[in-house]
Amino acid sequence: MWKEQDNKLHRSLTFKDFKQAMRFMQQVANVAEEMDHHPWWSNVYNKIEIELTTHDAGNTVTKRDIKLAQRIDEIYDQITASEV
Protein backbone atom coordinates (compact mmCIF):
# COMPACT_ATOMS: atom_id res chain seq x y z
CA MET A 1 0.00 0.00 0.00
CA TRP A 2 1.27 3.46 -0.87
CA LYS A 3 1.84 5.98 1.92
CA GLU A 4 2.19 9.71 1.30
CA GLN A 5 4.90 11.16 3.50
CA ASP A 6 7.28 14.11 3.13
CA ASN A 7 5.77 15.05 -0.26
CA LYS A 8 6.45 11.56 -1.65
CA LEU A 9 4.52 8.40 -2.30
CA HIS A 10 6.33 5.45 -0.73
CA ARG A 11 5.82 1.71 -0.99
CA SER A 12 7.80 -1.32 0.20
CA LEU A 13 7.43 -4.51 -1.83
CA THR A 14 8.53 -8.08 -1.20
CA PHE A 15 8.99 -10.75 -3.86
CA LYS A 16 9.52 -14.50 -3.94
CA ASP A 17 13.19 -14.09 -4.85
CA PHE A 18 15.73 -11.81 -6.51
CA LYS A 19 14.78 -12.87 -10.05
CA GLN A 20 11.14 -11.97 -9.51
CA ALA A 21 12.16 -8.58 -8.06
CA MET A 22 14.37 -7.90 -11.09
CA ARG A 23 11.57 -8.88 -13.49
CA PHE A 24 9.34 -6.37 -11.69
CA MET A 25 11.97 -3.62 -11.87
CA GLN A 26 12.47 -4.14 -15.59
CA GLN A 27 8.76 -3.89 -16.30
CA VAL A 28 8.43 -0.77 -14.15
CA ALA A 29 11.46 0.73 -15.89
CA ASN A 30 9.75 0.26 -19.26
CA VAL A 31 6.57 1.96 -18.04
CA ALA A 32 8.55 4.78 -16.40
CA GLU A 33 10.34 5.43 -19.70
CA GLU A 34 7.01 5.51 -21.57
CA MET A 35 5.63 7.99 -19.03
CA ASP A 36 8.91 9.95 -18.79
CA HIS A 37 8.50 9.79 -15.02
CA HIS A 38 11.13 7.85 -13.10
CA PRO A 39 11.02 6.50 -9.55
CA TRP A 40 13.65 6.59 -6.86
CA TRP A 41 14.08 3.00 -5.79
CA SER A 42 16.40 0.58 -4.09
CA ASN A 43 16.67 -3.19 -4.11
CA VAL A 44 18.18 -5.72 -1.73
CA TYR A 45 17.58 -9.34 -2.74
CA ASN A 46 13.77 -9.72 -2.81
CA LYS A 47 12.84 -6.32 -1.34
CA ILE A 48 12.25 -3.08 -3.23
CA GLU A 49 11.61 0.37 -1.80
CA ILE A 50 10.02 2.94 -4.13
CA GLU A 51 9.47 6.69 -3.77
CA LEU A 52 7.58 8.85 -6.23
CA THR A 53 7.59 12.64 -6.38
CA THR A 54 7.47 15.19 -9.18
CA HIS A 55 10.64 17.27 -9.21
CA ASP A 56 9.28 19.73 -11.81
CA ALA A 57 6.38 20.56 -9.47
CA GLY A 58 8.61 21.39 -6.52
CA ASN A 59 9.04 17.85 -5.21
CA THR A 60 5.39 17.25 -4.47
CA VAL A 61 2.99 14.43 -5.27
CA THR A 62 1.10 15.03 -8.51
CA LYS A 63 -1.25 13.13 -10.79
CA ARG A 64 1.83 11.78 -12.60
CA ASP A 65 2.97 10.08 -9.39
CA ILE A 66 -0.47 8.66 -8.73
CA LYS A 67 -0.73 7.31 -12.27
CA LEU A 68 2.72 5.68 -12.07
CA ALA A 69 1.85 4.23 -8.64
CA GLN A 70 -1.26 2.64 -10.14
CA ARG A 71 0.78 1.12 -12.97
CA ILE A 72 3.35 -0.15 -10.47
CA ASP A 73 0.55 -1.80 -8.46
CA GLU A 74 -0.75 -3.51 -11.61
CA ILE A 75 2.70 -4.84 -12.46
CA TYR A 76 3.28 -6.04 -8.90
CA ASP A 77 -0.08 -7.83 -8.80
CA GLN A 78 0.55 -9.46 -12.18
CA ILE A 79 4.06 -10.67 -11.35
CA THR A 80 3.32 -11.96 -7.87
CA ALA A 81 0.05 -13.66 -8.91
CA SER A 82 1.65 -15.48 -11.82
CA GLU A 83 4.38 -17.09 -9.71
CA VAL A 84 2.72 -18.28 -6.53
Side-chain angles (χ1 to χ4, degrees):
M1 177 176 303
W2 292 94
K3 290 175 22 178
E4 188 170 345
Q5 184 177 2
D6 299 325
N7 295 318
K8 299 174 188 170
L9 290 180
H10 181 268
R11 184 158 185 204
S12 300
L13 302 167
T14 302
F15 297 85
K16 178 180 77 172
D17 55 25
F18 181 73
K19 286 173 61 174
Q20 190 179 58
M22 289 299 98
R23 200 164 22 262
F24 168 83
M25 290 183 82
Q26 184 58 61
Q27 288 186 28
V28 171
N30 292 338
V31 168
E33 276 295 299
E34 289 171 14
M35 295 176 68
D36 191 29
H37 193 56
H38 304 92
W40 173 94
W41 56 11
S42 65
N43 164 251
V44 177
Y45 183 59
N46 69 332
K47 300 198 183 308
I48 296 175
E49 300 286 328
I50 303 174
E51 289 182 353
L52 303 175
T53 190
T54 301
H55 304 291
D56 296 346
N59 293 316
T60 61
V61 176
T62 66
K63 290 179 183 179
R64 295 180 76 199
D65 301 300
I66 293 167
K67 185 175 179 181
L68 181 54
Q70 290 169 339
R71 297 286 303 274
I72 289 170
D73 287 345
E74 291 168 5
I75 293 167
Y76 179 74
D77 291 345
Q78 179 185 33
I79 285 180
T80 56
S82 66
E83 297 188 28
V84 176

